[in-house]
Amino acid sequence: MEFKSPVTIALAKGRILKDTLPLLKHAGIELRDDPDTSRKLILDTNIDAVKVVLIRATDVPTYVQWGAADLGVAGKDTLVEHGGEGLYEPLDLQIAKCRLMVAGHPDASLDGQRLRIATKYVKAAKQHFAAKGQQVEIIKLYGSMELAPLVGLSDLIVDLVESGNTLKANGLVPLEHVMDISSRLVVNKASWKMKHETIISLVDILSEAVNG
Ligand code: PRP
């Protein structure tokens, strides 16, 4: 494809980057720098008009919202917590798939009032329990949620489950499905208008890569 406008794509190191690179390759975009060894945060690609910025997964929607990046790849979990202001979400990339689940001890009760829920996913957890008409107390954590029910910090957790191995290793089980998660392509709303032709072509070609 032809890049009539320059574009910056925000990606997060780890699984999202690894799974996004083959999709970008389908669009003819390849990194010049090796993200595993380089400590650069702005990476060149084989196309002069295309740059990749490497940031924390939770910061991707913010960079795209403010137009510091035109496009980005972010998990649905991250997008729900961010709120999605200033962003379009034109494509489910079907990568980094997992589930957001309520989890806890195998004999934990799901139905009590004022249950304490430890999670990094505060908005998603609030929405989930509000939809069930259940009043809960949310305790915000930044990681290792599985520890919370083991040490009596919370009754339950809301966390991502992929293989289920982390829960199992800690004697916990998934109890209730909150939502299916996958990574989405997000686009800054102004870039969508100003760089329409380039961005639409890129979305189309990525969509082709996703759908085989
Ligand atoms: C995620 C999640 C679980 C684990 C689930 O953590 O929070 O802890 O992966 O994967 P599994 O079902 O395959 O065991 P991650 O490693 O992303 O780190 P985090 O604790 O910072 O979220």
Side-chain angles (χ1 to χ4, degrees), residues 123-136 176 178:
K123 276 194 191 168
K126 275 191 182 155
Q127 282 166 16
H128 176 75
F129 287 102
K132 298 205 310 166
Q134 213 174 335
Q135 281 208 1
V136 295
E176 198 166 66
V178 177

Side-chain angles (χ1 to χ4, degrees), residues 43-184:
L43 304 184
D44 291 322
T45 72
N46 58 321
I47 296 165
D48 286 343
V50 181
K51 304 268 180 251
V52 167
V53 292
L54 284 185
I55 51 187
R56 287 281 294 262
T58 43
D59 290 334
V60 167
T62 307
Y63 273 71
V64 177
Q65 170 187 11
W66 292 96
D70 301 293
L71 306 119
V73 175
K76 188 66 188 169
D77 51 323
T78 304
L79 289 170
V80 168
E81 296 310 306
H82 169 268
E85 304 97 58
L87 305 175
Y88 291 123
E89 194 191 304
L91 186 60
D92 183 345
L93 296 170
Q94 315 254 7
I95 57 172
K97 284 186 175 182
C98 56
R99 289 154 292 141
L100 190 64
M101 302 283 303
V102 179
H105 290 292
D107 58 355
S109 162
L110 274 171
D111 298 319
Q113 291 293 326
R114 308 237 45 104
L115 289 176
R116 282 186 296 165
I117 316 292
T119 188
K120 182 155 91 173
Y121 306 99
V122 170
K123 276 194 191 168
K126 275 191 182 155
Q127 282 166 16
H128 176 75
F129 287 102
K132 298 205 310 166
Q134 213 174 335
Q135 281 208 1
V136 295
E137 240 177 291
I138 306 278
I139 301 173
K140 163 90 185 181
L141 292 179
Y142 292 86
S144 305
M145 269 80 84
E146 294 84 1
L147 181 62
L150 305 184
V151 295
L153 176 61
S154 73
D155 301 297
L156 299 167
I157 62 173
V158 169
D159 195 7
L160 298 177
V161 180
E162 191 191 349
S163 64
N165 289 341
T166 310
L167 288 178
K168 206 170 166 190
N170 291 290
L172 303 175
V173 291
L175 295 166
E176 198 166 66
H177 181 264
V178 177
M179 65 175 81
D180 286 328
I181 302 292
S182 57
S183 291
R184 313 299 168 98

